[in-house]
Amino acid sequence: MDFLTLFLVYLCFVLVVTALLCLCSGRKESFLTRSANRASQVLSLVIPTQLQRVTHRVTHGVLHRLFHTRSCLFVVLHIALQAAVFGEYTWEVFGYCWELQFHLLLLLLPYLLLAGNMGCFLLCSRANPGIITKSNHASLVKVYAYDGVMFQRGTVCPTCTMEKPARSKHCSTCGTCVHRFDHHCVWLNNCVGASNAGWFLLYLLSLTATAAALAALTLSFLARVVLLSDALHGTYLDARGQERPVEIPFLVQHLFLTFPRIVFMLGFVLLLTLVLGGYSAFSLYLAFTNQTTNEWCKSRRFGVSHRLSSQPPDRQLVYKNIYSKGIWRNLKEIFRPPTALERKKK
């Protein structure tokens, strides 16, 4: 059916755009950048050289400003998407559900989750993620031990001209070294580090719960409409004039024609719930094992090309996470980062 084809194209488009934004977030050479470079190589066969240079400069400049410089663009987009979704929920879904006598607490749940999410968002985006300065450098060096594999003593940041504490990394977007660096989040316009990792985890979980609550309430409303109308037991005339029982594709089309904005919103929040749910599960895994995103990505490469100078040249280096202390203590460390004094006592 034409409608289902268009609707599937819409869902795929939203999913692809969301996935691309997540892939591009905080990467030095993003998937989008590599794809643009490959596309330009193919188009270079038919596009004039001068036009290629202009296009390359514009594309490179736009991508660089989007993902490698601090900007409020994604923060504004983040707030605009939330405003659009909650505007539709308030304008239509809430009113219809109230007429159908849904419990008031269920209808207010997305707003409560939104309030908590916005609080975590503000705390995470405005907080100091753990910027390493000359005044706190001496104490931060003593917080975590060097594992000798991923983090080695004596490594100096060429930009900050200071020895890197274990588990730290220089963020090229912010231009500073961050203690227990996780990643730079364009949606927050801030790094996620030792000082705001707990708020980021709560922000991510609350955002997932908000999307899931909106999807569940919208689905419940549409299901109630179908049950009350008894549409599943009805019939319709097809293009040939033959009477056919109502099937799922016809029912989806009917709901879309009756509540177009609600169905589009439902498709968006369902995809958002799936994407955020997967990311939340991954973030919880990192929290349970006391790893950062930066450390997890780097650990995938060890045992292949990274070797210590003290190791034989034919012996591959195996990375082992020395920072995990058990699930409970790992979670505690996320919300209460250790200090040099605490490590000395231990």
Side-chain angles (χ1 to χ4, degrees):
M1 299 177 68
D2 293 338
F3 160 74
L4 289 180
T5 302
L6 291 174
F7 188 66
L8 287 175
V9 169
Y10 158 73
L11 294 181
C12 292
F13 173 77
V14 173
L15 181 61
V16 169
V17 170
T18 306
L20 285 176
L21 290 176
C22 292
L23 285 171
C24 293
S25 172
R27 293 196 174 182
K28 194 170 184 179
E29 186 181 359
S30 67
F31 172 79
L32 190 59
T33 304
R34 294 195 302 269
S35 300
N37 290 334
R38 291 171 184 171
S40 64
Q41 291 175 1
V42 175
L43 294 175
S44 63
L45 301 175
V46 293
I47 298 178
T49 305
Q50 294 297 331
L51 183 59
Q52 289 180 38
R53 293 176 180 174
V54 174
T55 305
H56 176 74
R57 289 177 182 175
V58 173
T59 304
H60 179 75
V62 170
L63 293 177
H64 181 77
R65 289 181 181 179
L66 280 177
F67 300 108
H68 305 302
T69 58
R70 297 202 68 177
S71 170
C72 294
L73 176 63
F74 282 94
V75 175
V76 174
L77 179 60
H78 176 280
I79 297 174
L81 288 174
Q82 284 191 325
V85 170
F86 270 89
E88 178 59 26
Y89 172 77
T90 305
W91 184 257
E92 292 201 72
V93 178
F94 187 94
Y96 286 133
C97 290
W98 181 255
E99 292 178 3
L100 293 174
Q101 298 181 346
F102 278 64
H103 199 284
L104 181 60
L105 288 178
L106 288 177
L107 298 180
L108 293 178
L109 179 61
Y111 297 107
L112 297 176
L113 291 171
L114 176 66
N117 175 253
M118 292 305 297
C120 294
F121 172 80
L122 290 173
L123 289 171
C124 191
S125 61
R126 303 294 294 177
N128 181 342
I131 296 175
I132 301 172
T133 62
K134 292 183 179 180
S135 59
N136 63 15
H137 175 265
S139 60
L140 292 180
V141 168
K142 301 175 183 178
V143 174
Y144 292 110
Y146 291 89
D147 61 3
V149 180
M150 188 179 296
F151 305 105
Q152 301 185 40
R153 188 179 298 276
T155 304
V156 178
C157 173
T159 304
C160 301
T161 63
M162 292 185 294
E163 181 184 1
K164 289 184 178 181
R167 310 192 77 182
S168 68
K169 184 180 183 298
H170 182 85
C171 176
S172 58
T173 303
C174 297
T176 57
C177 283
V178 178
H179 182 51
R180 198 185 180 277
F181 177 85
D182 191 279
H183 71 287
H184 180 88
C185 181
V186 295
W187 299 101
L188 298 172
N189 195 27
N190 197 11
C191 286
V192 178
S195 301
N196 63 349
W199 290 118
F200 176 76
L201 185 60
L202 292 177
Y203 158 76
L204 189 59
L205 293 175
S206 61
L207 186 60
T208 305
T210 304
L214 288 171
L217 282 169
T218 307
L219 277 173
S220 299
F221 159 67
L222 294 177
R224 182 76 65 87
V225 169
V226 171
L227 291 175
L228 291 176
S229 64
D230 201 25
L232 286 173
H233 300 92
T235 59
Y236 71 98
L237 297 177
D238 62 10
R240 299 178 181 178
Q242 296 180 350
E243 189 175 5
R244 292 181 174 274
V246 171
E247 299 173 344
I248 297 299
F250 179 84
L251 190 60
V252 173
Q253 182 176 0
H254 172 70
L255 289 173
F256 174 77
L257 293 175
T258 308
F259 310 104
R261 295 199 302 270
I262 293 178
V263 174
F264 268 106
M265 184 197 76
L266 176 61
F268 175 75
V269 294
L270 278 176
L271 287 175
L272 196 61
T273 302
L274 293 175
V275 173
L276 290 174
Y279 189 28
S280 297
F282 174 69
S283 297
L284 284 173
Y285 162 75
L286 294 180
F288 290 155
T289 56
N290 203 337
Q291 296 183 80
T292 66
T293 304
N294 177 55
E295 292 166 0
W296 183 87
C297 292
K298 285 185 175 180
S299 67
R300 303 303 96 187
R301 301 195 298 266
F302 277 93
V304 178
S305 59
H306 292 255
R307 295 184 176 90
L308 287 175
S309 57
S310 60
Q311 297 289 341
D314 59 341
R315 182 178 176 181
Q316 291 183 336
L317 185 63
V318 178
Y319 169 72
K320 182 180 179 180
N321 181 15
I322 67 170
Y323 306 111
S324 180
K325 309 177 186 68
I327 293 178
W328 174 247
R329 293 179 65 184
N330 291 341
L331 280 177
K332 183 180 178 181
E333 185 173 311
I334 293 293
F335 295 98
R336 187 175 177 273
T339 62
L341 181 61
E342 291 176 349
R343 185 190 164 198
K344 186 177 180 180
K345 289 180 179 179
K346 292 178 182 178

